[in-house]
Coordinates of all heavy atoms in Angstrom, one line a residue:
Chain B
V107 N -22.9 0.6 -36.0 CA -22.3 0.9 -34.7 C -20.9 1.3 -34.9 O -20.4 2.3 -34.4 CB -22.4 -0.3 -33.8 CG1 -21.6 -0.1 -32.5 CG2 -23.9 -0.5 -33.4
V108 N -20.2 0.5 -35.8 CA -18.7 0.8 -35.9 C -18.5 2.1 -36.6 O -17.7 2.9 -36.2 CB -18.1 -0.4 -36.8 CG1 -16.7 0.0 -37.1 CG2 -18.0 -1.6 -35.9
I109 N -19.3 2.4 -37.7 CA -19.2 3.7 -38.3 C -19.5 4.8 -37.3 O -18.8 5.8 -37.2 CB -20.2 3.8 -39.5 CG1 -19.8 2.8 -40.6 CG2 -20.2 5.2 -40.1 CD1 -20.8 2.7 -41.7
G110 N -20.6 4.6 -36.5 CA -20.9 5.6 -35.5 C -19.8 5.9 -34.6 O -19.4 7.0 -34.4
I111 N -19.3 4.8 -34.0 CA -18.3 5.1 -32.9 C -17.0 5.6 -33.5 O -16.3 6.4 -32.9 CB -18.0 3.8 -32.1 CG1 -17.3 4.1 -30.8 CG2 -17.2 2.8 -32.8 CD1 -18.0 3.5 -29.6
T112 N -16.7 5.3 -34.8 CA -15.5 5.8 -35.4 C -15.6 7.3 -35.6 O -14.8 8.1 -35.3 CB -15.2 5.1 -36.7 OG1 -15.2 3.7 -36.5 CG2 -13.9 5.5 -37.3
L113 N -16.8 7.7 -36.2 CA -17.0 9.1 -36.4 C -17.0 9.9 -35.2 O -16.3 11.0 -35.1 CB -18.4 9.3 -37.1 CG -18.4 9.0 -38.6 CD1 -19.9 9.1 -39.1 CD2 -17.5 9.9 -39.4
L114 N -17.7 9.4 -34.1 CA -17.8 10.3 -32.9 C -16.4 10.3 -32.2 O -16.0 11.3 -31.6 CB -18.9 9.8 -32.0 CG -18.8 8.6 -31.1 CD1 -18.1 9.0 -29.8 CD2 -20.1 8.0 -30.9
G115 N -15.7 9.2 -32.3 CA -14.3 9.1 -31.8 C -13.4 10.2 -32.4 O -12.7 10.9 -31.7
I116 N -13.5 10.2 -33.8 CA -12.6 11.2 -34.5 C -13.1 12.6 -34.1 O -12.2 13.5 -33.8 CB -12.7 10.9 -36.0 CG1 -12.1 9.6 -36.3 CG2 -12.0 12.0 -36.7 CD1 -12.2 9.1 -37.7
G117 N -14.4 12.8 -34.1 CA -14.9 14.2 -33.8 C -14.5 14.6 -32.5 O -13.9 15.7 -32.3
S118 N -14.6 13.8 -31.4 CA -14.3 14.3 -30.1 C -12.8 14.4 -29.9 O -12.3 15.3 -29.2 CB -15.0 13.4 -29.0 OG -14.7 12.1 -29.3
A119 N -12.0 13.5 -30.6 CA -10.6 13.6 -30.4 C -10.1 14.9 -31.1 O -9.2 15.6 -30.6 CB -9.9 12.4 -31.1
Y120 N -10.8 15.3 -32.2 CA -10.4 16.5 -32.9 C -10.6 17.7 -32.0 O -9.7 18.5 -31.8 CB -11.3 16.6 -34.1 CG -10.8 17.3 -35.3 CD1 -11.3 17.0 -36.6 CD2 -9.8 18.2 -35.2 CE1 -10.8 17.6 -37.7 CE2 -9.3 18.9 -36.4 CZ -9.8 18.6 -37.6 OH -9.4 19.2 -38.7
I230 N -26.8 1.7 -30.4 CA -27.0 2.7 -31.4 C -27.7 2.1 -32.6 O -27.3 1.0 -33.1 CB -25.6 3.2 -31.9 CG1 -24.9 3.9 -30.7 CG2 -25.8 4.2 -33.0 CD1 -23.5 4.5 -31.1
Y238 N -26.3 11.2 -34.8 CA -25.0 11.4 -34.1 C -23.9 11.4 -35.1 O -23.0 12.3 -35.0 CB -24.8 10.2 -33.2 CG -25.8 10.1 -32.0 CD1 -26.5 9.0 -31.8 CD2 -25.9 11.2 -31.2 CE1 -27.4 9.0 -30.7 CE2 -26.8 11.2 -30.2 CZ -27.6 10.1 -29.9 OH -28.5 10.0 -28.9
G239 N -24.0 10.6 -36.2 CA -22.9 10.6 -37.2 C -22.9 11.9 -37.9 O -21.9 12.4 -38.2
A242 N -21.3 14.4 -35.9 CA -19.8 14.2 -35.8 C -19.2 14.8 -37.1 O -18.1 15.4 -37.1 CB -19.5 12.7 -35.7
I243 N -19.8 14.5 -38.3 CA -19.3 15.0 -39.5 C -19.3 16.5 -39.5 O -18.3 17.1 -40.0 CB -20.0 14.4 -40.7 CG1 -19.8 12.8 -40.8 CG2 -19.6 15.0 -42.0 CD1 -20.6 12.1 -41.8
I245 N -19.0 18.5 -37.0 CA -17.8 18.9 -36.2 C -16.5 18.9 -36.9 O -15.8 19.8 -37.0 CB -17.7 18.1 -34.9 CG1 -18.9 18.3 -34.0 CG2 -16.5 18.4 -34.2 CD1 -19.0 17.3 -32.8
I246 N -16.3 17.7 -37.6 CA -15.0 17.5 -38.3 C -14.9 18.5 -39.4 O -13.8 19.1 -39.6 CB -15.0 16.0 -38.8 CG1 -15.0 15.1 -37.6 CG2 -13.7 15.9 -39.6 CD1 -15.2 13.6 -38.0
S287 N -19.7 17.6 -29.3 CA -19.0 16.3 -29.3 C -19.3 15.5 -28.1 O -19.3 14.3 -28.1 CB -17.5 16.6 -29.5 OG -17.0 17.1 -28.3
I290 N -22.8 13.9 -28.6 CA -23.0 12.7 -29.5 C -22.3 11.5 -28.9 O -22.5 10.4 -29.3 CB -22.4 13.0 -30.9 CG1 -21.0 13.4 -30.8 CG2 -23.3 14.0 -31.6 CD1 -20.4 13.6 -32.2
G291 N -21.3 11.8 -27.9 CA -20.6 10.6 -27.4 C -21.3 9.9 -26.3 O -21.0 8.8 -26.0
I292 N -22.3 10.6 -25.6 CA -22.8 10.1 -24.4 C -23.5 8.7 -24.6 O -23.4 7.9 -23.7 CB -23.7 11.1 -23.7 CG1 -24.6 11.7 -24.7 CG2 -22.9 12.0 -22.9 CD1 -25.6 12.7 -24.1
Q293 N -24.2 8.5 -25.7 CA -24.9 7.2 -25.8 C -24.0 6.1 -25.9 O -24.2 5.0 -25.3 CB -25.9 7.2 -27.0 CG -26.5 5.9 -27.1 CD -27.8 5.9 -27.9 OE1 -28.1 6.8 -28.6 NE2 -28.5 4.8 -27.8
A294 N -22.8 6.3 -26.6 CA -21.9 5.2 -26.8 C -20.9 5.1 -25.6 O -20.6 4.0 -25.1 CB -21.1 5.4 -28.0
I295 N -20.5 6.2 -25.0 CA -19.4 6.1 -24.0 C -20.0 6.4 -22.6 O -19.5 5.9 -21.6 CB -18.4 7.2 -24.3 CG1 -17.9 7.1 -25.7 CG2 -17.1 7.0 -23.4 CD1 -17.3 5.8 -26.1
M300 N -17.0 10.2 -20.7 CA -16.8 10.9 -22.0 C -15.6 11.8 -22.0 O -14.9 12.0 -23.0 CB -18.1 11.7 -22.2 CG -18.2 12.4 -23.6 SD -18.0 11.1 -24.9 CE -17.2 12.1 -26.2
L303 N -12.5 10.6 -23.7 CA -12.4 10.6 -25.2 C -12.0 12.0 -25.7 O -11.5 12.2 -26.8 CB -13.8 10.3 -25.8 CG -13.7 9.2 -26.8 CD1 -13.3 7.9 -26.2 CD2 -15.1 9.1 -27.5
S329 N -8.3 7.3 -31.1 CA -9.7 7.3 -30.6 C -10.6 6.3 -31.4 O -11.3 5.6 -30.8 CB -10.2 8.7 -30.6 OG -11.5 8.8 -30.6

Side-chain angles (χ1 to χ4, degrees):
Chain B
V107 170
V108 171
I109 294 171
I111 197 130
T112 309
L113 281 177
L114 79 88
I116 294 173
S118 50
Y120 209 156
I230 296 180
Y238 296 126
I243 293 172
I245 293 172
I246 297 169
S287 76
I290 58 174
I292 42 181
Q293 178 160 12
I295 310 298
M300 191 54 211
L303 232 67
S329 161

